[in-house]
Amino acid sequence: MSGFRGLLALALIVALAGCDDSSTVAKAAGHELSVEDGVALLGDRTELPNEPEVAEALANIWVDYILLANLAMDDSTFASVDFSPAVRPEIEQELVYRLRQEVVQVDTMIGEDELRTLYAERAPGAEVRARHILLDFPEGATEEQRDSVLALAGELRSRAVGGESFATLAEQFSSDLGSARQGGDLGFFDRNQMIEPFSDAAFALQPGEVSEPVESIYGIHVIRVEERRSPDFDEVREAFLAQLRSERMNEAELAYLEGLEEAANIRIADDAFDEIRSLAQRPEASLSARAGRKELTSYEGGAFTAADFQEFLQARPPTFALQVQQAADEDLEEMLKYVTRSELLVREALRMELDLSDEEKAEMEEAARTGFGTSARGAGLHNIAVENGESRKEAIDRVIMERLRNLVSGQGDVIPLGPLAFTLRKDHDAEVNPRGVAKLVERIAEVRGPEPELPDFLREPAPETP
């Protein structure tokens, strides 16, 4: 259920213009999803929030399924569908891999003595068993109150170092009631299981040692390590050796990439963020030649344009467009650097004539087509049977509504159309009506009645202690 809820929260595709009737949520290939259809699907699903994002996400899934079902009845092998956008990321990934194999040369030979030395330094797989005393700050604590908590932590450490039972002190003073009942014992944990300040302090201690007060988001900790254990060298030798080789390869790749970027001198246009948010609102819209040439980033020898970014969007699942619309400027900056860097690598691979053959690309497309057909058949959208007295349209409507009822009740998985959703919508009449979505949310609220108020203790759950 949680997977579908997550999909609904993210699966927005921007609504297309052209539908003014508020009784219709979406249209596709001559079919209509009415507000009352939406109420039948979502009205009693109180575990799903009654929000426009959920309603619109479901409408977009309906559109994709209607288009897919119609296509499958006309072309059961999907031979007419252009799968090149679906495999473009895979092709680019293979190009970058071939480039890496060609230009990144690194010595990954590691002798036994060096391997054992690095193992002793890093202690991979090491765990400690520790106790802690947690002292939390009062809400809105003043500087004086914070100093008082720190002073108490220092006092408790001194008492523990002086010989008092750490377990008894934890039982008496720790705010972490769960571990306090066990004398502050947290059991064994590895370095990644605790937040960084706590973990760093614990792994710096030897058994029997007590840390200085350590501050984390939970408060002030005093930590005592009881035991340390590490796997035998022979048990982790091969995995550790593989990790070291991977690290050296990654370092060499990073050095190559940094050199490539420095030579390219990547520059981001001042209005690039506004431009890509606009493109993400309607990733399927046609761009004029002039608009498509708009440079988002530029570099020595080329540029990453609006048309390039639109192609990038259409080669990703439609949910990606929503993430772009909602992203902060710093995230968009990182994304632009990433896509420009990827283009540089692909261009470099092509310059070195490392491109895939037509046969290899055709094999990838055929594999994607086969996988897509398997998914469609598994979801029951392949060759829908028309029952007695039904029209083809009625049969498709019946099956799609059945599938959506299963989805919202957690009894099925969404077919991952990914970039093919853009392909289907380009070739067929399809739209989601914002007014109909708003009306659907209104009707669901009427059906469900007022939302129950949460008790105060459920509104803001207390943070978990490490």
Side-chain angles (χ1 to χ4, degrees):
M1 189 67 241
S2 61
F4 183 66
R5 184 182 304 166
L7 175 74
L8 288 176
L10 290 175
L12 281 168
I13 306 172
V14 67
L16 304 176
C19 184
D20 295 325
D21 181 5
S22 62
S23 66
T24 302
V25 179
K27 295 182 178 181
H31 300 252
E32 291 188 3
L33 179 70
S34 71
V35 167
E36 294 310 311
D37 289 333
V39 171
L41 290 167
L42 296 174
D44 61 351
R45 307 310 309 188
T46 54
E47 69 275 20
L48 296 174
N50 183 25
E51 298 173 351
E53 291 83 1
V54 174
E56 190 169 359
L58 186 66
N60 277 289
I61 295 172
W62 176 87
V63 168
D64 289 340
Y65 278 21
I66 287 290
L67 295 178
L68 175 59
N70 274 281
L71 174 64
M73 292 189 78
D74 292 332
D75 178 9
S76 61
T77 65
F78 302 109
S80 62
V81 180
D82 179 13
F83 277 82
S84 58
V87 301
R88 188 175 298 120
E90 184 180 352
I91 291 174
E92 292 176 351
Q93 184 178 8
E94 177 63 22
L95 285 171
V96 173
Y97 174 78
R98 293 184 181 187
L99 179 66
R100 182 182 69 176
Q101 295 296 101
E102 185 74 20
V103 303
V104 178
Q105 304 297 328
V106 60
D107 183 7
T108 57
M109 292 297 296
I110 301 174
E112 192 68 16
D113 290 344
E114 182 183 8
L115 185 63
R116 289 181 177 274
T117 298
L118 291 171
Y119 173 82
E121 291 175 358
R122 299 194 185 188
E127 295 180 318
V128 298
R129 174 174 161 252
R131 301 177 186 270
H132 84 140
I133 300 169
L134 172 66
L135 304 176
D136 52 13
F137 296 113
E139 186 175 352
T142 64
E143 192 66 30
E144 183 178 356
Q145 288 173 316
R146 291 179 62 87
D147 290 343
S148 176
V149 173
L150 283 167
L152 176 57
E155 177 188 338
L156 293 175
R157 178 187 184 276
S158 297
R159 289 169 64 178
V161 172
E164 288 193 48
S165 167
F166 193 97
T168 300
L169 292 172
E171 290 173 1
Q172 293 176 353
F173 292 97
S174 182
S175 300
D176 178 10
L177 301 182
S179 68
R181 288 190 288 269
Q182 284 77 45
D185 196 347
L186 297 169
F188 278 99
F189 54 87
D190 64 34
R191 187 178 291 274
N192 297 320
Q193 287 179 273
M194 298 294 180
I195 56 176
E196 195 167 272
F198 186 98
S199 182
D200 289 345
F203 277 83
L205 300 173
Q206 293 301 316
E209 292 183 338
V210 180
S211 73
E212 295 288 344
V214 178
E215 183 171 353
S216 77
I217 59 174
Y218 301 104
I220 301 295
H221 308 264
V222 179
I223 307 166
R224 173 188 165 92
V225 166
E226 301 292 342
E227 299 177 67
R228 297 179 68 101
R229 67 186 183 190
S230 297
D232 183 75
F233 173 78
D234 291 333
E235 292 178 17
V236 298
R237 182 187 183 282
E238 293 306 315
F240 184 53
L241 179 59
Q243 176 188 336
L244 292 176
R245 287 172 173 166
S246 178
E247 287 176 2
R248 294 189 178 185
M249 178 62 74
N250 289 338
E251 289 169 1
E253 289 176 0
L254 181 60
Y256 171 77
L257 184 57
E258 288 176 346
L260 194 65
E261 288 185 15
E262 184 176 353
N265 186 26
I266 298 173
R267 302 170 296 278
I268 298 177
D270 292 339
D271 59 348
F273 303 152
D274 292 338
E275 185 71 23
I276 61 177
R277 286 193 181 100
S278 177
L279 289 167
Q281 288 176 2
R282 293 196 63 187
E284 77 293 335
S286 298
L287 295 178
S288 68
R290 180 178 179 182
R293 289 194 300 270
K294 167 70 178 176
E295 294 185 358
L296 303 178
T297 66
S298 57
Y299 51 88
E300 299 303 317
F304 186 79
T305 66
D308 294 328
F309 185 74
Q310 185 181 59
E311 185 176 312
F312 171 79
L313 279 179
Q314 294 181 357
R316 269 76 190 167
T319 53
F320 186 77
L322 174 65
Q323 294 174 313
V324 171
Q325 294 175 54
Q326 298 179 338
D329 283 357
E330 54 267 28
D331 295 326
L332 295 182
E333 180 178 2
E334 286 303 311
M335 183 189 65
L336 275 177
K337 288 180 179 178
Y338 167 79
V339 295
T340 306
R341 183 187 306 128
S342 298
E343 181 167 282
L344 285 171
L345 291 170
V346 169
R347 284 167 60 101
E348 187 67 10
L350 295 175
R351 186 189 67 81
M352 297 180 65
E353 300 181 350
L354 301 175
D355 196 8
L356 282 69
S357 67
D358 292 340
E359 291 77 11
E360 288 173 314
K361 293 176 182 177
E363 287 178 6
M364 287 183 176
E365 291 186 23
E366 188 56 36
R369 180 176 284 104
T370 300
F372 185 65
T374 300
S375 296
R377 282 188 292 273
L381 301 181
H382 192 272
N383 288 337
I384 292 173
V386 178
E387 297 182 352
N388 289 336
E390 275 187 331
S391 67
R392 164 177 157 153
K393 177 178 178 297
E394 289 169 337
I396 291 175
D397 287 338
R398 169 178 52 80
V399 171
I400 298 304
M401 289 296 288
E402 289 174 358
R403 296 298 175 265
L404 292 184
R405 275 192 289 271
N406 288 339
L407 287 178
V408 298
S409 63
Q411 299 177 24
D413 296 320
V414 176
I415 299 177
L417 293 184
L420 292 175
F422 289 111
T423 301
L424 294 177
R425 293 183 184 221
K426 277 182 178 179
D427 298 336
H428 299 84
D429 176 35
E431 58 186 9
V432 173
N433 177 18
R435 292 182 59 192
V437 169
K439 184 64 176 179
L440 174 56
V441 172
E442 180 183 321
R443 284 284 295 118
I444 291 173
E446 294 174 359
V447 170
R448 293 185 183 178
E451 295 283 343
E453 289 193 11
L454 291 175
D456 290 341
F457 72 92
L458 288 179
R459 293 179 188 274
E460 296 182 4
E464 296 181 5
T465 55

